[in-house]
Amino acid sequence: MHRSFTTKRLVFVRTGHVIDHDERGLRLWIPHGCPMAVELSADGRGLRDMPFAEWVRQPTVMTTSIWRGPNIFMLIPTRGAHSVWWFWDWQGRFVRWYINLEEPAVAWRRDGLVGVDTTDHDLDVWVTPARTWEWKDEHELAERLAFPEHYWVSDPNAVRAEGERLLRLVESGAFPFDGTWTDFQPDPSWQTPTSLPPGWDRPRA
């Protein structure tokens, strides 16, 4: 279970396959079509469908669905406030990395489930195979910082500094931006569950 919280409130969860877990970190495969849940307003809109000033006044509910985005190979490092995602196109060609800036993930195991819990820091970075890059969602970070009583990012300078640290690795072609795992293929025997398992909404680790 890969879960995202705003402080203690669960807002997003997806299922994934554990590929490996070693000194480089935890690797997950999150396939297109996997079961998920996301926090939505009563009328079915999400956080990005309205101004943040409106969102914080909305009653919300966790709504189950399926992941309609592309397959994701995700590295959650042993240290650092980020994860790195690999993306391929529908023909299987590697097309980009995505640096997701977030709280260091906390792993847990309980009642037959395993998972990682984190809080997204909104600011992210797209990186091309040629290692050109651009910031993503700077406007969301700026908008939400105006509501400190509701927003879960307390130190935006630290968030940007973590992104800049990763960009130095990008520009030098260092791991994980050195081509490692760009040819990854999932095990064809892996089965995608059809629903979220009981306990997916347990309290944050």
Side-chain angles (χ1 to χ4, degrees), residues 4-189:
S4 185
F5 288 77
T6 56
T7 61
K8 294 183 178 181
R9 194 171 82 207
L10 179 63
V11 296
F12 198 90
V13 57
R14 284 180 292 215
T15 55
H17 299 276
V18 175
I19 300 166
D20 206 350
H21 193 186
D22 57 24
E23 69 280 355
R24 292 179 292 187
L26 173 66
R27 270 94 74 196
L28 298 177
W29 178 253
I30 298 176
H32 171 82
C34 71
M36 60 166 286
V38 61
E39 183 182 45
L40 297 177
S41 65
D43 61 2
R45 292 180 295 163
L47 173 61
R48 289 178 166 169
D49 296 328
M50 66 187 80
F52 193 64
E54 182 181 351
W55 174 258
V56 299
R57 300 192 303 269
Q58 296 290 317
T60 59
V61 62
M62 287 296 290
T63 303
T64 57
S65 181
I66 62 169
W67 172 240
R68 292 183 171 85
N71 300 325
I72 303 172
F73 178 107
M74 183 183 297
L75 169 66
I76 301 172
T78 55
R79 289 179 297 277
H82 69 278
S83 59
V84 180
W85 307 1
W86 281 244
F87 286 106
W88 292 262
D89 64 18
W90 298 113
Q91 285 74 47
R93 295 170 296 199
F94 174 70
V95 291
R96 66 183 69 187
W97 293 279
Y98 183 74
I99 300 171
N100 198 70
L101 299 170
E102 59 191 41
E103 284 186 8
V106 176
W108 53 269
R109 180 187 297 268
R110 185 169 180 177
D111 300 329
L113 288 180
V114 293
V116 286
D117 294 350
T118 187
T119 292
D120 188 53
H121 285 162
D122 292 326
L123 185 65
D124 306 301
V125 188
W126 285 117
V127 181
T128 73
R131 299 182 184 86
T132 59
W133 54 268
E134 64 176 324
W135 292 104
K136 179 178 179 290
D137 298 331
E138 289 181 287
H139 65 291
E140 290 183 356
L141 180 67
E143 177 195 18
R144 296 169 189 176
L145 285 168
F147 300 86
E149 70 276 20
H150 296 287
Y151 195 34
W152 45 92
V153 174
S154 59
D155 190 348
N157 292 331
V159 173
R160 185 171 289 273
E162 177 75 349
E164 291 170 346
R165 183 180 73 82
L166 270 292
L167 286 174
R168 290 192 288 273
L169 299 179
V170 170
E171 292 175 345
S172 64
F175 177 83
F177 307 102
D178 58 354
T180 301
W181 301 316
T182 56
D183 59 350
F184 175 80
Q185 294 289 326
D187 188 325
S189 70

